[in-house]
Amino acid sequence: MADAPPGPGLRTALEAILLVVDEPVAEVTLAQVLERPVPEVSAALRELSAEYTEAGRGFDLREVAGGWRFYTRAECASVVERFVRDGQQTRLTQAALETLAVVAYRQPVSRARVAAIRGVSSDGVMRTLVARGLVEEAGTEPESQAVLYRTTSYFLERMGLRDLDELPELAPFLPDDVETLEEQKQ
């Protein structure tokens, strides 16, 4: 057998790679990346999987859909679900709600336009909304090349809407002279 390449051991390298994947990775792909023979990689994966099961870890290494990936154990499902659900219950700040409303009603909209409507910079808030998956980039403005933003399908899901047409009308909540106010800001 040839000398192992410098760096972490095979099992350590496999664990590191498998921690960052979003979908199962084939043994042949892992072997190529790690520059090791497929049978050696295959044996190491099976050993790791057996060790995790024997140790009763909260995660499992499974071979599914032609590849390998980490999964949480079935007996941990209720705990994981509670953690994920509770993490999604964090409330948005007033600034985030205002920014989200501007994006929802004016999309696609640039950060500068959101700031003009709100009267304050919304850069940090916009990054938070993007990180939470409520807002996403929607291209660029032709004249200024400013990034445009729109709400996501996750936003619709969280709001219980089928589409943006179900957003409530704004007119009843606006002052009668909204057009004059809008022109004065510009």
Side-chain angles (χ1 to χ4, degrees), residues 103-120:
V103 173
Y105 282 96
R106 297 286 186 146
Q107 61 186 306
V109 64
S110 68
R111 286 184 189 193
R113 182 74 174 132
V114 172
I117 292 169
R118 289 192 60 233
V120 296

Side-chain angles (χ1 to χ4, degrees), residues 84-160:
V84 171
R85 187 179 55 242
D86 289 349
Q88 297 301 319
Q89 298 300 323
T90 54
R91 296 193 178 272
L92 294 173
T93 64
Q94 184 66 32
L97 288 172
E98 290 172 7
T99 302
L100 188 56
V102 171
V103 173
Y105 282 96
R106 297 286 186 146
Q107 61 186 306
V109 64
S110 68
R111 286 184 189 193
R113 182 74 174 132
V114 172
I117 292 169
R118 289 192 60 233
V120 296
S121 172
S122 299
D123 291 352
V125 175
M126 193 69 83
R127 281 191 295 274
T128 299
L129 294 172
V130 169
R132 288 192 177 186
L134 296 167
V135 171
E136 65 187 1
E137 290 186 9
T140 56
E141 212 168 56
E143 304 85 43
S144 67
Q145 295 302 306
V147 175
L148 297 173
Y149 293 89
R150 66 177 171 226
T151 55
T152 63
S153 57
Y154 179 67
F155 164 80
L156 293 173
E157 178 184 327
R158 297 299 295 170
M159 296 299 293

Side-chain angles (χ1 to χ4, degrees), residues 27-115:
E27 291 174 1
V28 68
T29 303
L30 292 167
Q32 289 171 345
V33 168
L34 298 173
E35 299 175 343
R36 303 296 274 271
V38 174
E40 185 180 349
V41 168
S42 179
L45 289 165
R46 292 181 200 308
E47 289 169 12
L48 285 169
S49 180
E51 284 178 29
Y52 299 147
T53 299
E54 187 177 318
R57 298 274 177 88
F59 59 90
D60 187 17
L61 179 58
R62 295 186 208 151
E63 184 177 17
V64 293
W68 290 82
R69 183 173 175 216
F70 282 117
Y71 291 88
T72 56
R73 293 220 181 263
E75 57 267 22
C76 297
S78 64
V79 176
V80 172
E81 182 180 328
R82 187 169 53 244
F83 173 78
V84 171
R85 187 179 55 242
D86 289 349
Q88 297 301 319
Q89 298 300 323
T90 54
R91 296 193 178 272
L92 294 173
T93 64
Q94 184 66 32
L97 288 172
E98 290 172 7
T99 302
L100 188 56
V102 171
V103 173
Y105 282 96
R106 297 286 186 146
Q107 61 186 306
V109 64
S110 68
R111 286 184 189 193
R113 182 74 174 132
V114 172

